[in-house]
Amino acid sequence: MSGHVVRTLPGGLRVVVEEIAHVRSATIGVWVGAGSRFEQPEEAGVSHFIEHLLFKGTERRTAKQIAEEMDVLGGSLNAFTSKEHTCYYTKVLDEHLDRALDLLTDMVLHSVFDPGELEKEQGVILEEIKMYEDTPDELVHDLLAEQAWAGHPLGRVIIGTADTVSGLDRARVLDYFGRYYRAGNTVVAVAGNVQADQVVEAVGRAFAGLALGPVRLEGTPALVVTGRDLRDKDTEQAHVCLGLPGVPQDHDDMYPLYVLNAVLGGGSSSRLFQTIREERGLAYSVYSYLSSYHDSGLLTVYAGSSPEAAPEVLELVLQELAALTRGEVTAAEVDRAKEQMKGQLMLSLESTSSRMTRLGRSLLSRGRVQTVDEVLARLSTVSLQDVQGLSERLFQNRGMALAAVGPDLGSLADISLGL
């Protein structure tokens, strides 16, 4: 398999490149350690706000010119904000790599943060907040994070609130940008038909104007708070999320937890899918997933069902979790989950975007990049005993949070969340 090259430039900027000779595309991502958990309460949403503003014009390009230039290249340009980082990325034909890098660099280094554009984008984000409020199957995940990590920055909604977004002015935006958009807090990841040495040299030239210095990211781990948030809303379905303790992303138990999650709700052969959808017909969408950060983690179970079926669905989820705490996992389930995850990883390697994401997120979050061979080796070593022992340690007598959105949810308040 192709490998990757990591270089740290004199100013602290890290560059990671993976050469993939058999493709005709290249994907570039600029990863910044700026996310919602690092914001002050009164500036909640500023990371996401800056993500929007970097598309609104630079010293050399208007917002329209940024869009037109990417269209001329036939590529894609986008960004996203998470709780611990923000990423700006573009995918183009390999022959357009230099122009794409120039465009990304211009956005990150030379955005003007025009007051008029700032005011307009505040309105756009306020509408985005309303959109989430009208999308219960997305809203419920944010409600769960707020409940599970109550009082901790990880529990904040990434997009912010109407009050905090309305209060963001240019001075506060520039202050936050200056604090976090620095060389030591940034990774540039590139994957595709490129030459690593040439890319590193080009990135060094392009980002020469990035503010120097590292960023000290401090904070305390988030612990799951037991409780429930039931939001009455006139919807056709009840959307239910249950949150349990996970592990940090570099924890020794991370790989057994990957496997445990796959057994529980990670695919169509998982316990939740088979029990709740296939055997009982109570839900169309039911699954579990992991959220892992540098010092905390959460396992989330989601199900959407008719309001009258929601109590039964929740009881069935709790039964499956209780079975896991008793070590009721089979060798066949573990083997199937491991093969499923290996297959998903290998298929993702066909995309330069997926490769870039794996490289950039890993280097920024962990300070290193695991090779695919290392990941496969770690998965292969996970045993039945590892998964059984983890489920007993992780869930038994631990906190659990519940969030739900829908009509007539009162019956969910009476269901014990203990295992």
Side-chain angles (χ1 to χ4, degrees), residues 91-103:
K91 182 176 183 178
V92 295
L93 294 175
D94 49 22
E95 63 195 73
H96 297 319
L97 180 69
D98 288 342
R99 293 177 65 183
L101 178 60
D102 179 71
L103 180 59

Side-chain angles (χ1 to χ4, degrees), residues 100-407:
L101 178 60
D102 179 71
L103 180 59
L104 270 181
T105 307
D106 194 29
M107 291 168 57
V108 174
L109 297 184
H110 305 297
S111 285
V112 294
F113 300 102
D114 178 76
E117 292 292 343
L118 188 148
E119 184 176 352
K120 284 192 293 185
E121 207 57 30
Q122 274 178 317
V124 170
I125 294 174
L126 291 175
E127 292 302 316
E128 189 178 356
I129 291 172
K130 294 176 185 176
M131 182 184 71
Y132 277 114
E133 291 288 339
D134 288 338
T135 313
D137 57 332
E138 295 186 15
L139 173 64
V140 70
H141 297 275
D142 284 336
L143 295 180
L144 178 71
E146 289 181 301
Q147 175 59 58
W149 286 326
H152 191 279
L154 277 176
R156 294 189 196 129
V157 180
I158 293 169
I159 198 172
T161 67
D163 286 342
T164 59
V165 171
S166 298
L168 293 174
D169 57 19
R170 189 171 186 270
R172 187 177 290 278
V173 167
L174 289 176
D175 176 70
Y176 185 87
F177 184 86
R179 275 186 277 147
Y180 289 97
Y181 281 66
R182 309 182 73 84
N185 197 38
T186 303
V187 165
V188 177
V190 183
N193 188 15
V194 299
Q195 296 296 316
D197 290 341
Q198 294 177 7
V199 169
V200 172
E201 183 179 348
V203 169
R205 289 195 306 268
F207 281 88
L210 187 60
L212 302 181
V215 176
R216 184 177 178 84
L217 303 177
E218 297 180 342
T220 57
L223 301 176
V224 174
V225 177
T226 301
R228 59 194 90 202
D229 185 352
L230 309 179
R231 298 289 180 94
D232 185 71
K233 200 172 186 67
D234 186 16
T235 57
E236 292 297 320
Q237 281 192 311
H239 302 273
V240 180
C241 270
L242 195 65
L244 301 95
V247 299
Q249 56 198 3
D250 249 356
H251 197 279
D252 290 342
D253 285 331
M254 193 70 247
Y255 282 85
L257 185 56
Y258 285 145
V259 175
L260 180 63
N261 175 66
V263 169
L264 176 64
S268 57
S269 66
S270 68
R271 291 185 172 199
L272 293 177
F273 192 94
Q274 287 296 314
T275 299
I276 294 173
R277 174 169 164 162
E278 297 299 285
E279 296 176 13
R280 308 294 182 95
L282 295 175
Y284 174 77
S285 181
V286 55
Y287 56 86
S288 64
Y289 65 93
L290 301 174
S291 304
S292 295
Y293 305 99
H294 76 269
D295 57 2
S296 305
L298 188 70
L299 185 152
T300 300
V301 175
Y302 166 84
S305 70
S306 64
E308 57 271 17
E312 184 179 359
V313 169
L314 180 56
E315 292 281 13
L316 289 170
V317 171
L318 292 169
Q319 288 175 22
E320 292 297 340
L321 289 169
L324 292 179
T325 65
R326 296 191 296 268
E328 296 177 12
V329 183
T330 68
E333 286 179 307
V334 169
D335 291 342
R336 185 168 59 243
K338 289 161 63 173
E339 291 305 312
Q340 172 194 352
M341 295 176 64
K342 291 177 185 177
Q344 290 173 342
L345 173 61
M346 298 305 293
L347 289 174
S348 74
L349 299 180
E350 298 184 3
S351 163
T352 59
S353 299
S354 295
R355 286 182 183 241
M356 181 282 295
T357 298
R358 187 178 68 84
L359 296 171
R361 178 182 285 122
S362 182
L363 185 57
L364 182 65
S365 301
R366 296 179 171 90
R368 58 182 174 80
V369 177
Q370 281 187 310
T371 67
V372 172
D373 288 337
E374 287 174 315
V375 173
L376 294 175
R378 288 287 301 277
L379 273 176
S380 296
T381 63
V382 176
S383 67
L384 172 62
Q385 291 73 27
D386 291 333
V387 177
Q388 289 174 328
L390 173 64
S391 60
E392 293 171 3
R393 293 194 310 274
L394 199 58
F395 302 147
Q396 205 164 48
N397 301 318
R398 298 290 297 276
M400 191 182 309
L402 173 69
V405 177

Side-chain angles (χ1 to χ4, degrees), residues 77-97:
L77 175 67
N78 214 328
F80 63 87
T81 305
S82 75
K83 292 183 184 293
E84 291 190 329
H85 57 249
T86 306
C87 176
Y88 306 87
Y89 61 97
T90 179
K91 182 176 183 178
V92 295
L93 294 175
D94 49 22
E95 63 195 73
H96 297 319
L97 180 69

